Amino acid sequence: VFYGLGSDGTVSANKHSAKIVGDADVGLHAQAYFVYDSKKSGSMTVSHVRVGNEPIESTYLIERGNANFVACHQFGLLDRTDVLRHAAPGATVLLNSPYAAAETWDHLPREAQQQIAELDLDVHVIDAYRVARDAGVTTARAPSGEDLPGARAKTAPSTAP
């Protein structure tokens, strides 16, 4: 399950990833469902992506506690919604954080810290904006100098190993 904001590239990256996996001749099958506001731009998006060895015939979203992987492409969403509600015990979590990995824990909401501990989640942190800048990929900037959500920067957490 991937959380992002409309127009940040999360949905597009997941559509492309599911198509690439499904079209590749590697014996894997993929399915993706997307939940977003009709306004899209700036609204929260949730991408439900399944990948498996057998054909996928599920016709429903990934349910609470069943995701083996959860990504949060916008750190601020952790304060607005229960991003980790889909995480299964022991799931891998990828957070796009503006903070160094060692500092990110202190900036997580208390509820998220509790879920990580209780579910024994395997948390990984990336600063996708820094990765994009270091790779020479440009992103839009606000007048304050802050990075704005950009499709190119969002590809980094979607494809990070």
Side-chain angles (χ1 to χ4, degrees):
V1 177
F2 297 78
Y3 284 83
L5 291 177
S7 296
D8 75 356
T10 299
V11 170
S12 294
N14 285 309
K15 282 182 182 180
H16 291 301
S17 297
K19 181 160 180 35
I20 289 167
V21 169
D23 289 349
D25 190 20
V26 293
L28 293 175
H29 302 271
Q31 177 192 69
Y33 285 116
F34 306 95
V35 179
Y36 46 83
D37 190 282
S38 61
K39 297 175 198 169
K40 287 200 255 185
S41 184
S43 298
M44 185 174 70
T45 65
V46 185
S47 302
H48 295 255
V49 181
R50 289 182 172 92
V51 176
N53 294 324
E54 302 295 325
I56 300 168
E57 298 177 6
S58 301
T59 56
Y60 52 88
L61 301 176
I62 296 171
E63 296 174 347
R64 177 182 288 272
N66 285 314
N68 294 320
F69 182 85
V70 176
C72 182
H73 292 185
Q74 299 291 336
F75 195 81
L77 290 175
L78 291 161
D79 288 319
R80 294 177 26 199
T81 191
D82 183 4
V83 169
L84 300 176
R85 72 179 173 267
H86 288 100
T92 299
V93 176
L94 178 62
L95 300 176
N96 180 22
S97 173
Y99 309 104
E103 299 170 10
T104 295
W105 180 262
D106 294 334
H107 293 278
L108 291 172
R110 184 76 180 126
E111 296 79 17
Q113 292 176 347
Q114 289 173 330
Q115 287 172 297
I116 290 167
E118 289 171 5
L119 294 172
D120 192 28
L121 300 178
D122 182 19
V123 179
H124 299 264
V125 175
I126 184 173
D127 181 348
Y129 293 117
R130 183 188 52 75
V131 170
R133 276 192 307 274
D134 291 352
V137 177
T138 58
T139 59
R141 289 193 180 267
S144 65
E146 292 180 325
D147 289 319
L148 295 175
R152 294 181 185 209
K154 288 300 132 206
T155 303
S158 294
T159 60

